[in-house]
Amino acid sequence: MQTKNRILDDMAKVASGAVSAVTGLKGDADGMLRRHVEKLLGDMNLVTREEFDAVKAMAVKARTEQDKLNARIEALEAQLKTAKTKK
């Protein structure tokens, strides 16, 4: 009976070592994958969120100004048309 317990103890130690090794490999693989993805993203020359938000705000402002100018042009054209019909 003592022999079986010793075999089971040895098997448990081997299994525990294997789990530790797999956990270590997982951590290494995660680190390597993370570094690889960061390198790929760095090479892609992507914009940051702050840069994107700044350009988006500029586009919204430009669109608003364009809409105001379009309304002003339409009003001026209407005035011109009215002035032409009065003559």
Side-chain angles (χ1 to χ4, degrees):
M1 195 69 141
Q2 189 74 13
T3 308
K4 287 186 179 182
N5 285 339
R6 199 157 138 204
I7 291 173
L8 291 177
D9 287 344
D10 288 344
M11 289 176 58
K13 286 179 185 177
V14 169
S16 176
V19 168
S20 296
V22 168
T23 302
L25 288 174
K26 180 187 178 293
D28 291 345
D30 286 346
M32 286 174 40
L33 181 62
R34 181 177 305 266
R35 285 190 300 274
H36 187 66
V37 168
E38 287 173 356
K39 183 182 180 299
L40 285 174
L41 290 176
D43 291 344
M44 292 176 74
N45 197 22
L46 299 174
V47 297
T48 63
R49 175 50 108 180
E50 292 80 20
E51 291 171 325
F52 175 80
D53 288 341
V55 171
K56 184 178 175 182
M58 288 178 3
V60 168
K61 182 180 177 186
R63 180 62 183 214
T64 302
E65 290 176 6
Q66 179 185 4
D67 290 342
K68 288 179 185 177
L69 290 173
N70 284 341
R72 186 173 172 197
I73 289 170
E74 288 175 7
L76 290 172
E77 287 175 342
Q79 286 178 358
L80 184 60
K81 187 176 184 180
T82 304
K84 283 184 179 180
T85 56
K86 286 183 180 179
K87 285 185 179 182

